[in-house]
Each structure stands twice: as structure tokens, then as C-alpha cells.
Amino acid sequence: MRAVVRRAAAVVVAAGLAAAMLAGCVTTAPVAPDRTPVVSGAPAGFEEYYGQDVDWQECTGFDDGAYYCGTITAPLDWTDPDGGDLDLAVIVRVASNGESKGSLFVNPGGPGASGVDLVLQSAGFAVGPELLESYDVVGFDPRGVGRSTAVRCLDAVAMDRYLFDIPAAPRGTSERAAEQRQSASAFARACEKNSGGILPFITTENAARDLDLMRGVLGDAKLAYLGYSYGSFLGATYAELFPQNVGRVVLDGGLDPSIPGAVVGARQAAGFQSALGAFLTSCLAGSECPFTGSRDDAQQQVEDALAAVDASPLPATDGRMLGADALVMGIVSALYSEGSWSTLSSALTGVLEGDPDEMFDLVDRYYDRYDGTYLDNSTEAFSAYNCMDYPADSEEVEAAAEAEVAEDAPTFAPYWSSDVDLCDEWPYPPTGTRNEIHADGAAPILVIGTTNDPATPYEWSAALAEQLSSGILLTRVGEGHTGFNKGNACIDDTVVAYFEDGDAPTGDIRCEAG
């Protein structure tokens, strides 16, 4: 049984905003007069990439800042300077005070989330008001993602079938596994057919090399970086490859790079189970909770609801059927943020009354789907990165992970794993490894962990900070995914002081709720 590795995008932006396009460019102008590329230290054979000029064009963001959009050319294959190119979409919001400290690169997670959209739509949410003043905030779509040279698989209708069609055969049967394998194989073949030969090069290591290229092209001798969730893995990978280029780096919602993929899925299941418990406690204390009795009673009622829709899926207004797998997705989507708990309560009320439409709204938020249209390619890019980054696990590891899910996440356990792994059907074998990351010689790196983070459990941040030779752990006591700019003054002030003045704490810090 293969565990499902959940997406871990840190930022959920309102669906309506994602329709904004960069096509409204109005003039050509440099981001700043002193953006001279830094070519020194470029990998041998790739100096021309580092020294390239970018045709920056002014574009309009969702605040009154000055925004510039451009495309950076990267090598398709970082082992072959003559192996062809791909495009990296970049957006820069210029420092509001006019005296920039340099570039602050930000990645929202995923893998597969768009950093261009994040900065375009929500730059203040991404880095906070203080850093908007003093840094040129840089959003980018990693290779394979969004406006960069992208992974392409299915159109919206076919994607709906792939994600939401419920197999005809009963759960746990070989006939059901055969249906799922056929679906996974068709998806993988479509990705290979429609992605223009890029799939073997969609890896986090290549994306980290792209990040160093963007640093050099934008004229920064050192990297300033804020990576959320999966973005912490990207940032840690960068630090391992280029420790001498690490400037001020913050990894929020850390991933432990040393644990196998099946264990990642198992620990996430436990994280979401813990978050579900916190949600149910809060729900029962309110006046509009659909559940009754103790927290254990409420948990049993959730499990009964999952079993009920697994046996008899509920029809939505748009014709989709809500089965147990989709219901798990909707619940998980809301558990990323405490601010979504009231919506989850209302959606679960609807499910119990036979109306799944609001729950499908939560499912669609998870998949970046709006009104029948997928707003980006995040689901496809997520699959491409994970299938190349995670080596196959042994049967022993998978069995242990499955047992862990059964014990630590009983609500989700029946639906968390699958007999079929998409990556077994992927057209290329994985090239990634699971090892500790030390980044010996790097400047101080701050790692933020939230104690009841469901998607990137706190233990991962603690492990990453321990592995990094210069890691410093900032603990946010609280709920939800990631910790910076979430209202905890202790976390926020520490991160801002670090980026503004280079003031790294001398040791780990624990920040209580508030």
C-alpha cells in the first residue's frame, strides 16, 4: 500500500484573484539601475546564463507597489550547457522605501504553487509590511510550474475524471486497483505527451540550481529567501548545493529531507488527525456544530460520515459525486488553517444533510479549481516533482507506515493509502534521494515550526533545524500550517529583525500562542 503524500502549499489565495494575468504590461523599464548580474562563481559552462539581460516590463499587482515582470532563461539540463533551454517566469515588487536591501525570493510551497501569483496577488501576505518596505520581493514559478515552461497533462474535463471519478469496484479489491492503475497510467502518459520532454528534469535539485541562477541574474551576491512548506525543502536543497551563497534564509514549515516518502505520508496523516481533533474541540464549544457529545463522539460521527459516502456517494449540483476520498480532501483542505474551521463546520453540516456542494468548494480550493476550470497546473507539477524526487520505498517501510497511519490517524486511515502509486506509472525513474541536509559552511538559517501544523508536522522542522549545521529553530505554539506573518509577534519580530539587520538568534526560540 502506498501512502498519499499530501500537497503542502502554504498560501491559499482567493480563487477570483488567480484569474489576473501578466499580459497587461505597459512599458519596458529596468527594475533598478544597479541590477548588474553576478557571474562570479557560476557553474563552469553556464556563465552566459548568469550574465543574461532580462527584458523587464512594468506590470500591475494588487497593491500600489511598483511591479516588474520578466523571463529568465535556464538550462533544461544542469549537467549539459548545450542541452536546450527552458523559461522561468519572475515578478519583482520593488521596495517601497526606494532603498532596497536587495532581492528577497519567496516560494509558497507545493511543490507546484506559483510564486508569481503569490507576489502579484498577495505580496504583503507573503512577506509582511515591514519587508515590503525594504526588499525587492521576488516571486518565481519554478521549472514545470505556472507561467514557466510547464508540465502539461490533461484538460479540465479529463482532470475532473482523473481526480473525481469513483472506481466501480469495491475498495480494497484487485478490480479497483486495476481501475486505478489504468487511470494513473493514462495520466502519466498524458503528462509525457504534453510536456515537451521536460519531465526528467523537473526535480527539486534542478529548481534549486535555477534559484541560484535567478540570484545571479538579479544581481545579488548572496541569497535572501523565505520558503514556505515545500519551499523549505527547496531552500534547504539550495543551501546544501550553494552554502557559500546563503545570505539570510528562513524556512517556514520545514520538511525533514531524510525520511522516506511513505513515512512523510504517515506523519502528515497523524498531523491532520491532530488538527481534526483541535477542530472538533472548537466546533463542539460553538453553537452551530453538526456534531454532539464528546470529542471522541464527534470523531466517530466524522468516521461514520466518511463510511456513509464511501458506500453511497452524494451527488453535487455540478454532477460530481462526493465519495470518501473527496470528503477527505475537503476536510484536509480546511485543516490547513484555523481560519477555515467555520467553513468546514458548515460544509460538514451540508454533507450530513445530503448536500455536498460546500464541501466540494473546499475540495476545489485544494486543487485550485474554480467553476470547472483549473486555475493553474499545480496538481500536474506536484505529481511531476514528487515522482522524480522520492525514490520508491521498500515493502517493509510501506508496511510500517501503513501501521503508523492506522494507529495515529484512525479517521483517515481507510482512505489514506492506495494500492496504486502514480509514480510507478511515471515514464522516468526518480533521481532524488532521502538524506539529511547539513549545508556545512552556510550562514545562519532560521527554521520555523508550528506545534500543531498538520501538513508539515512540527517534528520535521525540529529535525531540519538539527540537521542544518547553522540551523536555528523558531517554535510557534499554535494551530495551522506555517508560522510567519500569522499574528505571532515573537515569530514575526524575530524574522523581520533577521532580514532587516542580519540579527540571528543565538539559540532556539519558543514563541507561545499570540
Side-chain angles (χ1 to χ4, degrees):
M1 300 283 282
R2 289 298 181 91
V4 179
V5 179
R6 299 290 168 183
R7 294 172 62 177
V11 179
V12 177
V13 181
L17 297 183
M21 301 299 292
L22 296 181
C25 298
V26 293
T27 128
T28 300
V31 174
D34 58 351
R35 285 201 171 268
T36 302
V38 175
V39 179
S40 174
F46 295 94
E47 292 85 356
E48 288 189 8
Y49 286 98
Y50 275 70
Q52 68 186 275
D53 293 324
V54 179
D55 181 20
W56 295 109
Q57 293 190 318
E58 190 174 5
C59 48
T60 303
F62 278 72
D63 61 25
D64 58 0
Y67 288 81
Y68 295 85
C69 307
T71 300
I72 291 175
T73 302
L76 177 66
D77 181 355
W78 274 102
T79 68
D80 182 4
D82 300 316
D85 299 334
L86 53 72
D87 291 336
L88 302 174
V90 182
I91 186 169
V92 180
R93 185 197 183 278
V94 178
S96 298
N97 66 9
E99 298 179 1
S100 174
K101 294 179 180 293
S103 303
L104 172 55
F105 291 81
V106 61
N107 179 275
S114 168
V116 171
D117 282 346
L118 173 64
V119 172
L120 178 75
Q121 301 164 9
S122 306
F125 181 75
V127 304
E130 296 93 341
L131 299 180
L132 283 183
E133 289 289 317
S134 54
Y135 275 92
D136 296 336
V137 179
V138 181
F140 60 97
D141 287 356
R143 58 172 57 210
V145 175
R147 297 177 179 86
S148 295
T149 301
V151 174
R152 302 293 181 195
C153 302
L154 303 174
D155 63 22
V157 173
M159 182 65 81
D160 275 357
R161 290 198 299 266
Y162 171 67
L163 292 176
F164 303 118
D165 278 4
I166 299 174
R171 190 178 295 276
T173 63
S174 60
E175 291 82 5
R176 187 183 183 100
E179 289 183 65
Q180 293 174 317
R181 186 170 294 107
Q182 183 178 17
S183 176
S185 178
F187 179 81
R189 289 196 307 270
C191 295
E192 170 70 351
K193 177 182 177 181
N194 297 322
S195 297
I198 68 172
L199 293 187
F201 306 102
I202 303 303
T203 70
T204 295
E205 179 176 334
N206 282 329
R209 295 186 184 280
D210 293 341
L211 181 55
D212 194 62
L213 169 65
M214 290 185 282
R215 172 202 59 79
V217 171
L218 268 69
D220 296 281
K222 301 285 186 178
L223 178 75
Y225 175 81
L226 173 58
Y228 293 101
S229 197
Y230 160 80
S232 72
F233 179 49
L234 176 60
T237 302
Y238 177 93
E240 183 80 337
L241 293 170
F242 304 101
Q244 72 282 4
N245 294 341
V246 169
R248 300 170 188 177
V249 169
V250 174
L251 309 177
D252 189 355
L255 273 70
D256 183 346
S258 69
I259 59 176
V263 177
V264 171
R267 303 289 162 77
Q268 285 185 318
F272 284 112
Q273 185 76 47
S274 179
L276 176 65
F279 157 73
L280 291 174
T281 297
S282 175
C283 180
L284 291 167
S287 59
E288 298 183 0
C289 185
F291 308 113
T292 58
S294 67
R295 190 170 99 169
D296 287 345
D297 294 333
Q299 179 177 307
Q300 184 61 56
Q301 291 162 45
V302 174
E303 293 169 11
D304 291 344
L306 283 163
V309 299
D310 194 42
S312 299
L314 298 176
T317 301
D318 64 6
R320 288 180 292 171
M321 302 295 290
L322 185 85
D325 297 314
L327 180 52
V328 166
M329 286 292 95
I331 294 171
V332 162
S333 177
L335 291 177
Y336 273 87
S337 170
E338 191 173 358
S340 297
W341 286 4
S342 61
T343 302
L344 177 58
S345 179
S346 177
L348 285 167
T349 298
V351 169
L352 295 174
E353 295 175 351
D355 179 3
D357 282 357
E358 190 172 5
M359 185 59 69
F360 262 123
D361 288 342
L362 288 173
V363 174
D364 288 348
R365 186 170 75 179
Y366 183 89
Y367 288 117
D368 292 327
R369 180 184 183 275
Y370 178 72
D371 197 23
T373 299
Y374 290 84
L375 302 172
D376 53 39
N377 75 324
S378 57
T379 298
E380 292 137 313
F382 170 82
S383 300
Y385 271 99
N386 280 347
C387 287
M388 294 304 297
D389 279 348
Y390 284 87
D393 297 317
S394 68
E395 292 183 1
E396 292 77 12
V397 168
E398 290 180 359
E402 186 179 353
E404 187 175 334
V405 173
E407 180 170 350
D408 296 339
T411 301
F412 301 118
Y415 320 102
W416 198 259
S417 300
S418 171
D419 290 314
V420 175
D421 185 353
L422 168 65
C423 297
D424 289 340
E425 308 299 322
W426 206 246
Y428 301 96
T431 56
T433 59
R434 305 299 293 167
N435 297 302
E436 291 188 357
I437 290 179
H438 303 293
D440 293 333
I445 297 173
L446 307 191
V447 181
I448 305 173
T450 296
T451 53
N452 206 28
D453 186 325
T456 51
Y458 174 74
E459 65 192 77
W460 293 356
S461 293
L464 178 59
E466 179 69 22
Q467 291 170 30
L468 290 166
S469 297
S470 58
I472 299 169
L473 179 64
L474 309 184
T475 298
R476 171 180 168 254
V477 177
E479 300 288 336
H481 186 36
T482 72
F484 175 59
N485 207 20
K486 299 293 191 297
N488 186 302
C490 169
I491 293 289
D492 295 350
D493 291 349
T494 301
V495 171
V496 169
Y498 173 64
F499 277 123
E500 291 281 13
D501 304 316
D503 293 338
T506 56
D508 296 346
I509 293 178
R510 185 176 179 87
C511 296
E512 299 297 331

